Amino acid sequence: MTELHVHLDGSIRPGTVYELARRQGVDTGIPDLYRMPKKDAIDALSKKMTALPSGQDLNDYLECFRLPLAVLQEEDAIERAVTELGEDLLKDGVTTAEIRFAPLSCCTKGLAPKDVIRAAERGARTAMRLNPGLTLSLIICCMRGQEEQPFLESAREDLTGPEVNFRLVDLVAELKNDVVKAMDLAGAEALYPTEKYLPLFRYIREKGIPFTVHAGEADGARSVRAAIDAGVTRIGHGVRVIENRLLAQTLAVKKITLECCLLSNFQTRVFMNKEDHPIKQLFDMGVRVTLNTDNRTVSGTSMQKEIETAQRLFGFTDADIRKMQEYAEEALF
Ligand SMILES: [Zn+2]
């Protein structure tokens, strides 16, 4: 199988967070964690990093990423997390995946963005060497609002200011290869509208870097419109395009692929009821929808689970699932 949309930080193994937090002396907020039997400690960490099945807002969901990001501030930790995610993907039946992460979120304790990307690349290459048949590549995420982040004294590089995401584009243009392939824009979509980032997308295009964008998740159809205006071939989520059926038809005509993530959408309540999720409607309209996990640990999911959910709740047939897999293969960067 092919997976287009999976975040490194949201897919880290809880057992790895335990070991890294212990070694790095990270405060987990769980009293006496290291006096507990290891299994109980990992369970406690896992609980802190896993979202409820439904009924929380995006902020609670984002809180689940605090611990993973706290330990992903060292090169060997980043490398290890990517290699392990490669193994986990393969166990789940995924042989080709594009793993995404935001390097600047791994620079709060002094790492430089270049070191982060290189560490992730080493991790991906190790996973492929150890697991023949596995193909991994990396999507580098710009973060919405990064330009307004307070300056961090502990950071070696300037991680804020109006140019911050543009500098990341320059870096990706420099490091781009068969593993470091593309870019994305992630973060608080409702607070920082997609339109605001049109100059950034223009810059990414000028540099010849393929890109996707999280849109139509926390914000509505207008965000999807802005993504189309930016010249995307893929959109992360994009499901709220259903608010404007004409625009949804445009997606079908332009053959723009939606990276859908059902369980994640249920958890952040993109739609009030699970049954309201438009994935099947969009599929039937000819929109190229695909199934993805988004965050394997935070959402407690896998491709197997996403497929099972799509079939059970929305009546996708085995042939439909195969069709969505074809869409995913064709949309790879
Ligand atoms: Zn995502």
Side-chain angles (χ1 to χ4, degrees), residues 144 185 189 192-202 205 211-217 219-236 238 240-241 244 247-248 250-251 254 256:
R144 294 171 193 265
L185 177 67
E189 184 192 0
Y192 301 97
T194 303
E195 301 91 279
K196 189 176 150 131
Y197 295 91
L198 287 175
L200 179 67
F201 296 127
R202 203 173 308 126
R205 286 181 72 170
F211 65 101
T212 178
V213 49
H214 281 72
E217 178 192 18
D219 200 0
R222 66 165 193 162
S223 183
V224 175
R225 160 64 69 198
I228 296 171
D229 290 346
V232 287
T233 55
R234 283 167 45 177
I235 297 176
R240 281 184 60 187
V241 74
N244 179 342
L247 198 62
T250 305
L251 290 180
K254 287 183 174 274
I256 293 171

Side-chain angles (χ1 to χ4, degrees), residues 5 7 100 184 186 214 217 237 261 294-295:
H5 192 127
H7 292 260
R100 65 185 74 196
D184 174 32
H214 281 72
E217 178 192 18
H237 301 284
C261 311
D294 209 4
N295 296 291

Side-chain angles (χ1 to χ4, degrees), residues 13 83-92 127 130-131 134:
R13 293 177 187 167
T83 302
E84 289 180 351
L85 177 52
E87 288 168 10
D88 294 345
L89 285 157
L90 203 55
K91 265 185 225 143
D92 186 30
L130 297 176
N131 302 282
L134 177 68

Side-chain angles (χ1 to χ4, degrees), residues 248-307:
Q249 274 157 12
T250 305
L251 290 180
V253 172
K254 287 183 174 274
K255 298 192 170 177
I256 293 171
T257 303
L258 298 190
E259 307 155 3
C260 298
C261 311
L262 289 174
L263 270 72
S264 164
N265 286 169
F266 299 161
Q267 289 162 345
T268 59
R269 289 216 166 189
V270 176
F271 301 95
M272 278 310 282
N273 302 303
K274 290 178 183 175
E275 295 73 22
D276 295 340
H277 198 287
I279 186 167
K280 186 64 164 60
Q281 256 172 287
L282 292 167
F283 179 81
D284 291 340
M285 286 171 74
V287 178
R288 298 166 82 89
V289 294
T290 60
L291 295 176
N292 304 272
T293 59
D294 209 4
N295 296 291
R296 289 169 172 263
T297 303
V298 170
S299 290
T301 191
S302 63
M303 280 296 272
Q304 305 296 340
K305 221 164 162 173
E306 298 288 333
I307 292 169

Side-chain angles (χ1 to χ4, degrees), residues 90-135:
L90 203 55
K91 265 185 225 143
D92 186 30
V94 176
T95 49
T96 306
E98 294 175 340
I99 298 172
R100 65 185 74 196
F101 62 101
L104 301 184
S105 304
C106 301
C107 295
T108 55
K109 286 188 183 161
L111 273 188
K114 190 186 249 182
D115 300 333
V116 176
I117 297 174
R118 288 216 165 121
E121 185 186 341
R122 283 196 301 276
R125 292 195 190 279
T126 303
M128 288 191 273
R129 199 179 58 242
L130 297 176
N131 302 282
L134 177 68
T135 306

